[in-house]
Amino acid sequence: MNTRLVKTVSAQKSFSELVTLHEAQHRANTQGVNHAMLHHINAFHGEVPSMADITEEFCISFSGFLMERVAPSSVRTYLQKMHAILERAVAAHLIPANPMPPIKSLIPSAKGASRVHLTHDDLARLSKTYCWNGDTCRESARWTYNHKDHRDLRPHD
């Protein structure tokens, strides 16, 4: 981080001002994500939080707030952005340490999708199924059957 930016950041007091300085070096998409994250932070906190408001409890409560409102992938993205901004605040000596716990501990783990495995009969039926480009589909099914362990195949493969 350059010295001029450190001096500028260290003079700031609100989290949104730190976000604005952080996003100045990023693309429009990242800036949009940062603005969405700030919108949720302000809705959660009721106003623009100061750096002193961002504590471990704040981060834990905020992640719960997000889990009720947006998709888990968005929660992860917002928390990753927040973590990066807090790391920048640490580097700028605005805060002594990043108060955010590990993101994995803030988001419940997603249950993996259950797989349905095809049997030999399923594969035989699949090879006889109509396809708009019959030769290609039959060859694909034959290749799949010959080159993959049939237990690893799922209906959408």
Side-chain angles (χ1 to χ4, degrees):
M1 182 182 291
N2 66 39
T3 311
R4 194 176 102 232
L5 184 59
V6 171
K7 287 179 183 173
T8 306
V9 171
S10 63
Q12 304 302 317
K13 292 187 176 152
S14 81
F15 185 74
S16 66
E17 291 168 327
L18 184 62
V19 170
T20 301
L21 288 171
H22 177 74
E23 71 184 15
Q25 300 170 343
H26 292 88
R27 294 185 207 149
N29 184 48
T30 300
Q31 292 176 7
V33 172
N34 286 343
H35 285 287
M37 176 197 61
L38 267 179
H39 170 76
H40 288 292
I41 287 175
N42 293 342
F44 168 71
H45 191 61
E47 60 186 6
V48 178
S50 69
M51 288 307 298
D53 294 328
I54 311 292
T55 63
E56 182 176 358
E57 293 78 24
F58 181 97
C59 295
I60 293 168
S61 297
F62 178 59
S63 68
F65 174 84
L66 287 174
M67 289 299 291
E68 296 173 359
R69 287 163 178 75
V70 298
S73 60
S74 296
V75 173
R76 179 173 304 285
T77 299
Y78 294 149
L79 293 178
Q80 287 170 335
K81 296 294 181 191
M82 187 174 174
H83 176 75
I85 292 163
L86 291 170
E87 283 297 313
R88 185 165 231 171
V90 171
H93 305 292
L94 233 179
I95 54 177
N98 188 338
M100 182 177 279
I103 294 172
K104 280 185 173 185
S105 69
L106 296 174
I107 301 173
S109 61
K111 183 179 179 184
S114 62
R115 294 182 176 212
V116 177
H117 302 290
L118 298 178
T119 65
H120 288 283
D121 292 338
D122 293 335
L123 287 171
R125 214 174 30 250
L126 181 64
S127 70
K128 295 175 187 173
T129 302
Y130 171 78
C131 177
W132 64 273
N133 188 347
D135 290 338
T136 303
C137 293
R138 276 189 292 281
E139 286 305 312
S140 176
R142 240 181 248 118
W143 186 91
T144 301
Y145 179 77
N146 291 328
H147 292 88
K148 253 186 140 178
D149 182 346
H150 74 277
R151 289 171 292 162
D152 291 336
L153 295 176
R154 297 180 303 272
H156 62 277
D157 281 348

